[in-house]
Amino acid sequence: MSKLFDVTSGKVCIGSGVVLCGGSTPQELTLAGLVFTREFDMETGWVFRTTGPQDLMGHIVQLSLGFQYDRLKRVSFGFAENPNLDMDDLFKKHEAFLYQELGAPTHKSKHQTLYQYAWGEIVSEMDPRGSGCYILVTWNA
């Protein structure tokens, strides 16, 4: 069973007592002890806030939390402890991490490993055009 992801409820336990849940507000997460370091308002109802660095299951990550109308809808992160890794190697590390945490994926392609659940999905993606490699948790509601 994963220590990071509760696949039954969709909760993500990032340590220090902070649990990310779909629908959480920035205020609730701040009260739980999360410190936001940056905010970017898209002026479309979406606001992205970052926090970190965080130690997440032995990996150093920066978290990007996406709030739609003040409700958490997505969180993304990538491992940052080895900045010399190229994107292919980082993608492989993300895939191995998710496989260890969650088992076999629902779907796998060259640039994406997807786990689907009733509450949302967890995906490892690599953009082959060079714009990033990350793990993304998205909640439906």
Side-chain angles (χ1 to χ4, degrees):
M1 180 181 221
S2 175
K3 294 177 183 160
L4 177 62
F5 304 107
D6 181 338
V7 296
T8 305
S9 66
K11 294 178 180 177
V12 180
C13 305
I14 62 170
S16 305
V18 178
V19 177
L20 304 177
C21 305
S24 296
T25 66
Q27 297 80 10
E28 291 169 337
L29 295 175
T30 299
L31 286 173
L34 199 60
V35 176
F36 295 112
T37 55
R38 190 168 169 204
E39 178 180 309
F40 185 68
D41 189 340
M42 302 294 289
E43 298 183 11
T44 61
W46 280 93
V47 176
F48 291 89
R49 292 178 168 89
T50 58
T51 184
Q54 300 269 350
D55 182 336
L56 194 65
M57 306 286 298
H59 296 280
I60 303 302
V61 300
Q62 291 283 125
L63 296 165
S64 174
L65 290 82
F67 295 87
Q68 184 180 36
Y69 300 110
D70 220 24
R71 299 288 177 191
L72 185 61
K73 292 290 282 184
R74 58 187 284 176
V75 61
S76 66
F77 60 91
F79 302 153
E81 65 268 8
N82 188 348
N84 296 323
L85 283 180
D86 66 19
M87 279 204 319
D88 288 326
D89 289 336
L90 183 57
F91 180 65
K92 288 175 187 171
K93 284 186 79 81
H94 289 168
E95 278 188 310
F97 174 79
L98 288 180
Y99 189 84
Q100 180 181 348
E101 290 293 306
L102 304 171
T106 307
H107 175 75
K108 184 172 174 9
S109 67
K110 185 176 180 180
H111 301 292
Q112 184 183 73
T113 303
L114 173 69
Y115 296 82
Q116 291 182 306
Y117 302 99
W119 53 264
E121 63 187 31
I122 301 170
V123 63
S124 173
E125 288 186 315
M126 176 179 68
D127 185 339
R129 299 170 296 184
S131 64
C133 183
Y134 50 85
I135 294 173
L136 174 68
V137 179
T138 306
W139 292 274
N140 296 332

